[in-house]
Amino acid sequence: MEDKKAGLSEAMKAKMQPKKFEKNPILGTKFTIAISSAKGGVGKSTFATNLALALKKIGCKVGLLDADIYGPSLPKLFSINEKPESDGKILKPILKYEIQCMSIGFLTEEETPMIWRGPMVTSAIKTFTQKVGWNNLDFIIVDMPPGTGDTQLTFSQEIKMDGVIIISTPQEIALQDVKRGIRMFDKLGVKIIGLIDNMSHFVGDDGKKYPIFGEGGVKRTAEEFKKEFLGEIPISPEVGKQGDTGTPIVESKPNHEISKIYLDFAKKIKSIYL
Ligand SMILES: Nc1ncnc2c1ncn2[C@@H]1O[C@H](COP(=O)(O)OP(=O)(O)O)[C@@H](O)[C@H]1O
Ligand SMILES: [Mg+2]
């Protein structure tokens, strides 16, 4: 077969090579773990915030990076209204519940729509990973936006990512997006720690399990892609209160059944890396 590159200049051939990126660690941190799903509204931010607090409770130093530039949720979920200090070069993370936090939502007014284009998103991510004074952290938990776009690509190609946890609800429509997300991270060589089934079922007053969004879909997806199934988190109205109170359940009710589930996940993550 004819070599399609024959006759091209050396410069042209070089351009056609896949671009090699240098993967930088996030300064001031040992391990970077992303929470992703490709689908919106499945509980990524809820999981990210509670996992961060659970890791803190078992003795880790933790940072929380809200990488959702278009729809930041950390200001509300952690009830943070201050602006981060800056010395002109480095932004200081805001300390809340002993977690070092950063979000684009700390820098803009709450109602400002994020009409940024791709390159600006990428530069915001670079600022958050290279120009924030993260201090001596064991883990940074990165709360990803939905989709498989610029943010996921920037993190996967340019930042040393140590693992990603994929969250989904059991509906087929969520799982479709999740499968796309799994393929993307696999292709980019980012280690998928495993899958979590969030809002797996509701336990009624009668003590029975009601699988409102269907049953077993996340586990089956994990099996299909040969990934670990990390477990399930039931629907709990207590978890949903975080959006109003600004205090995640692991902080407000550490002995609640759901908090114990988050703690178990945290122990598992700690045992993998530390
Ligand atoms: N296990 C759960 N039980 C009840 N509500 C939940 C649970 N997990 C998440 N939620 C709620 O679902 C909604 C979406 O969660 P969120 O974390 O913002 O999703 P995402 O970050 O994926 O868009 C929020 O209102 C949140 O309180
Ligand atoms: Mg979110």
Side-chain angles (χ1 to χ4, degrees), residues 192-208:
I192 294 176
I193 302 169
L195 275 66
I196 289 177
D197 185 345
N198 188 38
M199 305 196 239
S200 54
H201 60 272
F202 182 76
V203 180
D205 288 339
D206 54 6
K208 279 192 195 151

Side-chain angles (χ1 to χ4, degrees), residues 12-172:
M12 198 62 155
K13 280 184 200 166
K15 260 193 180 173
M16 284 174 68
Q17 294 299 321
K19 196 170 165 191
K20 285 213 175 62
F21 291 95
E22 202 178 311
K23 293 192 178 188
N24 297 305
I26 298 184
L27 298 176
T29 190
K30 285 194 195 127
F31 299 105
T32 300
I33 311 285
I35 311 301
S36 196
S37 77
K39 182 83 183 160
V42 294
K44 290 179 295 297
S45 302
T46 306
F47 183 80
T49 45
N50 280 294
L51 179 70
L53 287 163
L55 281 165
K56 174 201 78 174
K57 287 209 186 297
I58 55 171
C60 303
K61 289 204 72 179
V62 189
L64 195 46
L65 171 53
D66 179 359
D68 196 339
I69 306 296
Y70 295 105
S73 51
L74 191 53
K76 209 163 186 91
L77 293 180
F78 261 25
S79 183
I80 295 174
N81 304 308
E82 325 153 42
K83 294 226 177 301
E85 290 169 23
S86 162
D87 63 3
K89 283 190 186 135
I90 296 289
L91 269 177
K92 221 174 138 191
I94 289 177
L95 200 64
K96 182 86 190 235
Y97 308 129
E98 298 166 67
I99 309 277
Q100 296 175 30
C101 302
M102 188 49 69
S103 167
I104 193 92
F106 301 160
L107 304 163
T108 54
E109 300 305 323
E110 197 176 337
E111 301 304 332
T112 311
M114 295 292 156
I115 48 172
W116 294 13
R117 280 174 288 126
M120 291 178 78
V121 170
T122 308
S123 94
I125 299 295
K126 285 190 180 148
T127 303
F128 285 166
T129 51
Q130 305 305 329
K131 297 212 156 56
V132 169
W134 303 108
N135 183 13
N136 192 25
L137 297 177
D138 295 312
F139 293 104
I140 278 195
I141 304 300
V142 181
D143 180 12
M144 286 283 184
T148 46
D150 284 322
T151 305
Q152 285 81 357
L153 268 178
T154 304
F155 270 96
S156 304
Q157 294 183 317
E158 302 185 38
I159 290 156
K160 181 179 98 42
M161 290 251 279
D162 298 287
V164 52
I165 297 174
I166 309 252
I167 310 279
S168 186
T169 51
Q171 297 115 307
E172 205 42 51

